Amino acid sequence: MTVAIEVWREYRQSRDEKLKQELVLAYLPLVKYYAGRLAVKFPPFISLEDLESYGVFGLLEAVEKYNPDLGTSFKAYAYSRIRGAIIDEIRKLNWLPRTMWQKLQ
C-alpha cells in the first residue's frame, strides 16, 4: 500500500487523472478500515456501506490536498480527512442537535 513519494510529487505537479485514480485505488483499503472502526460507535441503522461511501469522499479530498513536502505520512493525513467526511455526513443526516445526541448516548 505504500506509494512512492515520487508518485505523489508527480501527481502534485501534473494533476494527472490517471495518477489520481492510482493513488485512490492504492489507499481504498484505508477507507474500509476506518469506516469499520467508526461503525462500532454509530447506531445499527447506519450501514457500513454508507460509511464507506462517505469515507471515499474524504479520501478523494485527501488525495487532492496532500502535500508530501510537509513531512507527514499520507495515512495520518487521510485518517483525519476520511473520519471527518464520515462524521460530517452523519451529522447532516441527523436532525437532532449535537447536545441532544450526546445526552442520548
Side-chain angles (χ1 to χ4, degrees), residues 32-48:
K32 188 172 182 79
Y33 175 75
Y34 294 145
R37 293 196 53 164
L38 284 174
V40 176
K41 298 179 182 178
F42 292 123
F45 63 84
I46 299 174
S47 70
L48 180 62

Side-chain angles (χ1 to χ4, degrees), residues 3-12 19 22-23:
V3 178
I5 293 178
E6 293 81 30
V7 176
W8 281 107
R9 289 198 175 116
E10 186 179 341
Y11 172 69
R12 292 268 302 156
L19 283 175
E22 181 183 328
L23 291 169

Side-chain angles (χ1 to χ4, degrees), residues 27-36 38 51-63 74-89:
Y27 288 104
L28 211 50
L30 281 178
V31 174
K32 188 172 182 79
Y33 175 75
Y34 294 145
L38 284 174
L51 295 178
E52 290 172 357
S53 66
Y54 303 148
V56 169
F57 291 119
L59 177 64
L60 289 171
E61 185 179 355
V63 167
F74 180 74
K75 284 184 179 182
Y77 180 75
Y79 171 74
S80 62
R81 290 288 182 171
I82 292 168
R83 185 176 184 276
I86 292 172
I87 291 173
D88 285 347
E89 289 299 319

